[in-house]
Amino acid sequence: MNQESYLRWISSLEKGGKILEDSQREAKQSLEKIGFPKKSAEKWRYTNLNRLENILKLPINTSKESLILKINSEVLNENYKLPNGIEKINNDELIAYLSNQTILNTSYENFLTNLNHATNHKIIALKIKSDKMINLEIVIKNLKQHLTPSKILILVEKNAKLDILQIIQGSSSSSHSNLIEIYLDENSKVNHSFIAIGSELSSLLGTVSIKQEENSSYSLSSFQQGWYLSHIDQNIFQVKGNAKSTIKSLTISQKDQQLATHSYIKFNGPNGSVKQVNKSIIEDNSQSIFNGLIDVPKIAQKTNASQLSKNLLLSEKGRVHTSPQLKIVADDVKCNHGATISQLEEEQIFYLNSRGINRNEANLLLIKGFCKEIIDNFPINSTKWSHLSKYLKKNK
Amino acid sequence: MDSNKLILEIRNLYAGIDEKNILNGINLKINEGEIHAIMGKNGSGKSTLSKIIAGDPSYSITSGEIFFKHKNIKDLEPEIRSNIGIFLGFQYPIEIPGVKNIDFLRVSVNARRKQLKESELDTFEFEAFIEEQLEIVKMDKAFLERGVNQGFSGGEKKRNEILQMALLKPDIAFLDETDSGLDIDALRIIASGINKLHTPKKSIVLITHYQRLLNEIEPDFVHVMHNGQIVRTGKKDLAIELEKNGYEGLALNNTGK
């Protein structure tokens, strides 16, 4: 995209409501500074930038209908009274928060975050106070031929607990810019399930930004399939270390889709841990991209980190780009990382065949087996979305 | 055997892998209910023979025929051979992480039941069914919940093989070195399991290096393989002779080359 039309696009963006006005103005300035992504940046190296450009050509969806919120399985509307332990963040607080919105204090290039803030008209902002587990379900729908921006901000207070299931749906040439920020205060616990399923020419630009205080525990189970173009950032920042993070992701790419996951995990103190597994299944002539960086500075002694990228390549024309990286300055840490790319093993297939299981069924069993580790993590209520993807069906 | 009903017949079988000949004219007839033992040195072609009968696609047959119940099975897919009643107990059972053992066993059993025109078992029915069979190999139920052979010891893998034989009720089972890597207690458990599964209708072929398995399971015939041929056939005393004098003592020579 040339600079001129990019700048024209930025200035054409409509103003959001008065709460979002300031953050939007700042984001527009940042977007101008950052410029449209270029291949020369490692993060965008393999991205089909034409597809990214096409997203910016779509009109912005400003309707509020695209966000459905359920708390403990009840649909929330304007008049609904929130149950104990969960509150809306009031406007003043929200403005204060948004003016200081660098949830991740990093120099990580944040085109996606700024794009979200610049286009956004909708924000869900909640505070979780209860130490009883609260179940939150957020469904983000698409509008055809539109870019739908959405932002979710959740502050989880000390000792509070939250289960959150986030569903993002896409269909014919619709796009999403989604940003979810979760702040975990001391001793809090969050299980986050992120399920993003597109179809046809739909695209997804998503960011999951997590900030963890000491003794908090955050677990992300992520699933994505069916996007013409997807680019998901998973960022975790352990403010003082001493917290626990888990990320398990599964990506299924088919046809000529291009699905990407970029993760950045930073320990800003000692005794933190992260366990990350990123799995991909690549079919047809699709592409799967994984870029992971774990940042362990000097202050983060006794960090325990593992990062694994496992890829199952099911076709000759599929492509995998995977780069799990560790940046370690601290000297007393346990860190490991690795990547594998494999096909279905003939030996395993013959073993199953010799037990009367035909080739198709054997392939299915092996593929399900590959996914199991990730799918098992999803809560039971995720299975109601399994009509969107057979991979979400639990083995029984 | 009174009935002498032929179940498997191998006629002049030549086969190999990647242009390399391994079997050089195997002839073998097995009747219903018989127990055969095939012995021979490493590389004599014992395992290859069993894999070819199970239909391993990495091997190719250059000439010869394999009849199972008078039907030529040479070109059948391995899953069809299993469904019609041929079983191979693997020397090195394959690990399949992520696929739960019990799910795998159920899919496998239902494929066989379909062939036998029996109703398929749902998860509850299958659990009840498998519980009885576990007793045959004294296997802990916990192994059903793990990935197929995942992290199993050598002995546990072999038990899992015999459990599959118990579940699938094949008409003929080739057991490839089921005794290797077992301590004497495990060997007795597995041997007693195999004996329990042996009926006047079911045939078993034991492929082994050692006579000790044959002390537990009495064979009707013992064959010695050498350079891809069966060079001697006898009764149990042939195994005893082998144990005493070794393969060298048999003064093996290839007759068919």
Side-chain angles (χ1 to χ4, degrees):
Chain A
M1 192 175 205
N2 68 44
Q3 182 71 358
E4 199 183 320
S5 42
Y6 175 67
L7 293 176
R8 209 181 310 126
W9 174 78
I10 294 172
S11 62
S12 75
L13 295 170
E14 275 178 50
K15 276 187 184 167
K18 80 166 182 270
I19 299 170
L20 297 173
E21 206 173 327
D22 288 348
S23 74
Q24 191 185 41
R25 195 182 50 244
E26 282 165 28
K28 281 172 147 185
Q29 285 165 2
S30 301
L31 280 181
E32 284 174 12
K33 224 184 292 164
I34 295 165
F36 187 75
K38 292 183 182 65
K39 288 262 179 204
S40 53
E42 183 61 31
K43 192 172 170 171
W44 300 100
R45 192 169 150 201
Y46 300 109
T47 309
N48 183 329
L49 292 176
N50 287 336
R51 295 186 189 180
L52 185 65
E53 187 178 338
N54 284 337
I55 297 176
L56 302 193
K57 288 178 183 158
L58 295 171
I60 312 281
N61 170 15
T62 54
S63 101
K64 290 204 163 67
E65 307 293 300
S66 49
L67 272 173
I68 300 166
L69 187 62
K70 280 186 188 177
I71 297 175
N72 297 335
S73 20
E74 289 213 55
V75 179
L76 205 72
N77 54 40
E78 295 285 322
N79 310 316
Y80 183 82
K81 195 175 162 288
L82 288 166
N84 284 342
I86 183 162
E87 279 176 11
K88 275 189 191 169
I89 296 175
N90 71 42
N91 290 355
D92 292 344
E93 221 179 324
L94 190 56
I95 290 169
Y97 179 80
L98 290 173
S99 69
N100 181 24
Q101 59 183 247
T102 47
I103 188 166
L104 287 173
N105 233 339
T106 71
S107 59
Y108 207 58
E109 187 192 348
N110 52 3
F111 175 78
L112 293 192
T113 314
N114 284 302
L115 176 80
N116 184 275
H117 285 148
T119 55
N120 207 351
H121 292 259
K122 286 179 285 287
I123 180 164
I124 289 181
L126 298 169
K127 216 185 255 186
I128 311 295
K129 307 173 93 87
S130 171
D131 60 354
K132 286 201 193 87
M133 187 61 88
I134 286 184
N135 280 298
L136 198 63
E137 185 176 325
I138 300 173
V139 181
I140 300 153
K141 296 191 162 177
N142 64 86
L143 182 63
K144 278 182 190 173
Q145 310 288 349
H146 278 75
L147 167 62
T148 300
S150 53
K151 174 167 178 175
I152 299 151
L153 167 65
I154 299 174
L155 308 179
V156 185
E157 298 197 336
K158 279 180 187 159
N159 305 315
K161 287 180 187 163
L162 174 70
D163 252 357
I164 172 168
L165 172 61
Q166 183 185 357
I167 310 282
I168 303 180
Q169 284 177 276
S171 67
S172 59
S173 338
S174 67
S175 293
H176 281 284
S177 161
N178 176 260
L179 169 61
I180 178 164
E181 293 178 335
I182 305 177
Y183 171 77
L184 290 88
D185 209 338
E186 288 169 20
N187 259 318
S188 65
K189 188 174 180 274
V190 173
N191 288 321
H192 183 188
S193 305
F194 180 97
I195 295 176
I197 301 174
S199 67
E200 298 163 68
L201 298 176
S202 58
S203 316
L204 168 65
L205 304 174
T207 304
V208 176
S209 269
I210 307 301
K211 195 169 175 178
Q212 286 184 262
E213 297 291 347
E214 289 181 284
N215 295 313
S216 65
S217 159
Y218 172 76
S219 164
L220 172 66
S221 305
S222 156
F223 176 87
Q224 61 157 328
Q225 182 186 3
W227 303 95
Y228 186 52
L229 177 75
S230 86
H231 191 110
I232 297 179
D233 278 357
Q234 300 170 337
N235 301 323
I236 297 183
F237 183 53
Q238 292 196 3
V239 184
K240 292 181 190 143
N242 212 6
K244 200 178 149 195
S245 319
T246 310
I247 306 181
K248 296 202 167 185
S249 308
L250 177 62
T251 298
I252 318 279
S253 61
Q254 293 155 316
K255 297 178 206 157
D256 61 344
Q257 296 161 0
Q258 187 182 69
L259 272 57
T261 304
H262 296 258
S263 86
Y264 178 73
I265 298 153
K266 179 163 183 170
F267 294 91
N268 204 32
N271 302 312
S273 76
V274 66
K275 192 164 190 275
Q276 180 177 24
V277 181
N278 190 87
K279 288 193 170 184
S280 300
I281 294 178
I282 301 96
E283 296 179 30
D284 309 319
N285 52 350
S286 65
Q287 276 189 63
S288 185
I289 300 164
F290 174 69
N291 248 309
L293 177 61
I294 297 182
D295 191 349
V296 188
K298 181 122 205 183
I299 196 170
Q301 299 293 349
K302 307 270 183 203
T303 293
N304 190 342
S306 77
Q307 182 179 54
L308 194 58
S309 158
K310 283 185 161 183
N311 302 281
L312 184 59
L313 191 56
L314 295 182
S315 73
E316 278 177 21
K317 286 186 173 170
R319 291 275 175 280
V320 180
H321 307 283
T322 176
S323 160
Q325 291 179 68
L326 296 171
K327 182 177 154 196
I328 305 174
V329 183
D331 49 12
D332 183 15
V333 297
K334 249 194 225 166
C335 295
N336 61 67
H337 66 150
T340 62
I341 300 173
S342 60
Q343 292 162 316
L344 291 176
E345 282 183 37
E346 287 302 321
E347 243 188 0
Q348 295 184 334
I349 291 173
F350 173 62
Y351 188 66
L352 295 171
N353 288 162
S354 79
R355 297 304 182 247
I357 300 167
N358 68 37
R359 198 168 181 106
N360 271 345
E361 259 183 291
N363 287 356
L364 275 177
L365 266 178
L366 293 175
I367 291 168
K368 262 181 161 177
F370 180 81
C371 301
K372 187 175 187 295
E373 180 186 0
I374 313 293
I375 298 299
D376 276 358
N377 271 308
F378 285 109
I380 290 295
N381 58 347
S382 70
T383 50
K384 71 179 176 213
W385 299 97
S386 61
H387 62 279
L388 295 174
S389 170
K390 64 176 186 204
Y391 292 94
L392 282 176
K393 290 203 175 87
K394 300 228 173 196
N395 284 0
K396 182 59 221 170
Chain B
M1 287 287 133
D2 298 334
S3 60
N4 262 9
K5 215 169 153 196
L6 196 59
I7 190 144
L8 188 84
E9 185 184 2
I10 301 169
R11 271 191 219 157
N12 213 17
L13 185 68
Y14 286 79
I17 189 165
D18 302 335
E19 315 282 306
K20 188 181 155 219
N21 294 329
I22 302 176
L23 301 184
N24 296 303
I26 296 273
N27 288 291
L28 182 64
K29 282 183 181 179
I30 297 168
N31 290 320
E32 249 183 15
E34 287 175 353
I35 297 181
H36 290 235
I38 298 177
M39 304 181 78
K41 286 200 265 193
N42 284 334
S44 59
K46 308 183 301 288
S47 287
T48 300
L49 176 63
S50 65
K51 287 206 163 142
I52 284 173
I53 289 174
D56 188 335
S58 35
Y59 295 89
S60 51
I61 294 175
T62 38
S63 69
E65 314 294 336
I66 307 167
F67 294 96
F68 175 69
K69 296 179 177 173
H70 306 291
K71 194 182 162 205
N72 200 334
I73 59 161
K74 200 170 72 166
D75 297 322
L76 292 184
E77 298 295 328
E79 62 269 24
I80 308 290
R81 300 187 198 199
S82 167
N83 291 340
I84 61 177
I86 297 170
F87 179 84
L88 168 63
F90 280 57
Q91 182 181 2
Y92 302 110
I94 309 294
E95 296 197 19
I96 311 180
V99 177
K100 235 163 81 176
N101 203 19
I102 191 162
D103 293 336
F104 153 68
L105 295 172
R106 190 168 58 87
V107 175
S108 168
V109 164
N110 279 336
R112 171 95 169 114
R113 287 178 73 93
K114 214 168 154 185
Q115 175 72 30
L116 295 174
K117 301 204 161 49
E118 293 172 354
S119 67
E120 292 189 20
L121 301 175
D122 66 28
T123 45
F124 298 107
E125 290 166 330
F126 186 68
E127 270 177 42
F129 172 63
I130 200 169
E131 207 138 321
E132 303 161 20
Q133 315 294 325
L134 284 174
E135 193 41 41
I136 295 174
V137 283
K138 304 219 178 328
M139 198 161 119
D140 193 319
K141 227 180 148 180
F143 287 102
L144 298 177
E145 297 302 315
R146 300 192 12 200
V148 176
N149 294 319
Q150 194 183 357
F152 287 25
S153 71
E156 287 155 359
K157 283 182 182 167
K158 296 297 171 73
R159 281 182 208 219
N160 205 29
E161 293 295 290
I162 303 304
L163 174 66
Q164 291 167 45
M165 176 182 165
L167 292 168
L168 293 172
K169 301 187 173 34
D171 297 315
I172 188 164
F174 278 74
L175 304 176
D176 191 4
E177 298 201 22
T178 297
D179 53 341
S180 67
L182 298 183
D183 59 47
I184 195 72
D185 294 331
L187 177 74
R188 289 219 168 103
I189 290 168
I190 284 186
S192 115
I194 295 169
N195 281 327
K196 275 180 206 153
L197 297 172
H198 176 236
T199 72
K201 291 264 176 204
K202 308 279 183 193
S203 313
I204 293 170
V205 180
L206 303 166
I207 291 166
T208 181
H209 276 291
Y210 307 105
Q211 197 234 331
R212 64 174 193 171
L213 179 67
L214 308 181
N215 290 336
E216 306 288 333
I217 305 170
E218 182 101 3
D220 299 301
F221 298 97
V222 174
H223 310 279
V224 178
M225 268 184 85
H226 185 66
N227 287 344
Q229 291 184 323
I230 291 176
V231 290
R232 286 278 296 272
T233 292
K235 298 279 183 180
K236 202 195 158 189
D237 42 13
L238 178 58
I240 296 167
E241 186 190 335
L242 255 181
E243 186 83 359
K244 212 161 81 191
N245 304 327
Y247 291 104
E248 300 302 322
L250 282 184
L252 301 170
N253 57 338
N254 272 16
T255 48
K257 244 188 177 167

